[in-house]
């Protein structure tokens, strides 16, 4: 199962077998020393059964991010889904009993401020701890790179401007000029050519 709009390959972590199994994939991201605005983009999908156990015993899916040198977790980047019925973004599957799934979704981890550091990203899945229900996920690591957009052009006049599209997965989008004047909102923004050249 490959993420739409993603790379050539995706990987599956876990399976639909039971037995209180748990799996983890770990990635190390080396942020360039001069990269003050940097991000890691990925896609993911989740499938698990909801047996109705207490929270600690339910199937789960987690993403955690750590500074490799200090072990300090980036709380803002963490995601955790614990099986339950009616969770936002999840749908009840027609395959199996009590199986819920989250279709392919985009995620971005803001690594601004980690210049010159190595960051650990853990993806983990787990079955229920009572051995009878499963949880698994799919992942596609899209890209790492600059967390900013820049256009260098000497001739935008008469072109209608330049259209920018930000990566998906954010609650809100605000676009600013180099002097921090807000120029647009939304995932896609068209920036008109200035009346006079700006730098």
């Amino acid at each position: 199962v490959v993420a739409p709009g993603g790379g050539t390959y995706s990987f599956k972590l876990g399976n639909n077998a039971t037995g209180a199994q748990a799996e983890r994939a770990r990635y190390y991201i080396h942020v360039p020393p001069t990269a003050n605005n940097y991000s890691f983009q990925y896609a993911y999908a989740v499938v698990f059964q909801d047996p109705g156990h207490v929270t600690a015993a339910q199937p789960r899916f987690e993403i955690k991010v750590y500074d490799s040198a200090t072990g300090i977790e980036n709380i803002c980047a963490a995601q955790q889904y614990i099986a339950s019925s009616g969770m936002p973004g999840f749908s009840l599957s027609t395959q199996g009993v009590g199986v819920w799934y989250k279709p392919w979704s985009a995620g971005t981890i803001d690594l601004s401020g980690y210049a010159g550091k190595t960051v650990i990203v853990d993806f983990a899945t787990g079955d229920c701890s009572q051995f009878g229900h499963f949880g698994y996920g799919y992942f596609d690591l899209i890209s790492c790179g600059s967390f900013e957009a820049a256009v260098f052009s000497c001739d935008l006049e008469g072109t209608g401007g330049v259209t920018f599209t930000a990566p998906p997965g954010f609650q809100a989008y605000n676009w600013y000029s180099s002097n921090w004047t807000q120029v647009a909102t939304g995932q896609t923004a068209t920036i008109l050519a200035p009346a006079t050249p700006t730098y």
Side-chain angles (χ1 to χ4, degrees):
V1 177
V2 178
T8 306
Y9 302 97
S10 296
F11 70 90
K12 181 180 178 183
L13 188 61
N15 54 51
N16 61 353
T18 59
Q21 301 171 0
E23 302 81 19
R24 179 181 69 189
R26 173 169 279 183
Y27 282 85
Y28 293 87
I29 300 170
H30 305 288
V31 181
T34 58
N36 295 316
N37 298 302
Y38 204 73
S39 69
F40 170 66
Q41 297 176 25
Y42 60 95
Y44 67 102
V46 183
V47 181
F48 43 40
Q49 287 180 303
D50 176 21
H53 300 325
V54 297
T55 301
Q58 289 281 78
R60 65 194 58 243
F61 164 88
E62 299 174 331
I63 299 172
K64 293 186 177 181
V65 180
Y66 305 89
D67 181 319
S68 67
T70 64
I72 296 174
E73 184 180 354
N74 180 338
I75 302 298
C76 294
Q79 289 191 57
Q80 183 181 58
Y81 297 105
I82 298 173
S84 66
S85 62
M87 290 191 319
F90 280 75
S91 298
L92 184 61
S93 175
T94 58
Q95 305 295 312
V97 177
V99 177
W100 291 85
Y101 70 96
K102 181 176 179 63
W104 282 106
S105 303
T108 300
I109 298 171
D110 182 3
L111 297 177
S112 299
Y114 285 91
K117 296 182 179 181
T118 298
V119 176
I120 296 170
V121 181
D122 280 347
F123 295 97
T125 60
D127 298 341
C128 85
S129 62
Q130 297 183 25
F131 295 84
H133 304 89
F134 61 80
Y136 62 95
Y138 295 93
F139 308 95
D140 191 352
L141 310 176
I142 307 295
S143 69
C144 290
S146 178
F147 202 61
E148 60 188 357
V151 171
F152 301 96
S153 178
C154 295
D155 187 17
L156 289 179
E157 189 173 340
T159 65
V162 176
T163 299
F164 294 94
T165 300
F170 292 91
Q171 183 175 8
Y173 297 86
N174 296 304
W175 298 85
Y176 296 89
S177 67
S178 60
N179 65 1
W180 290 102
T181 301
Q182 187 170 346
V183 294
T185 60
Q187 186 179 354
T188 300
T190 298
I191 309 301
L192 301 177
T196 57
T198 57
Y199 304 96

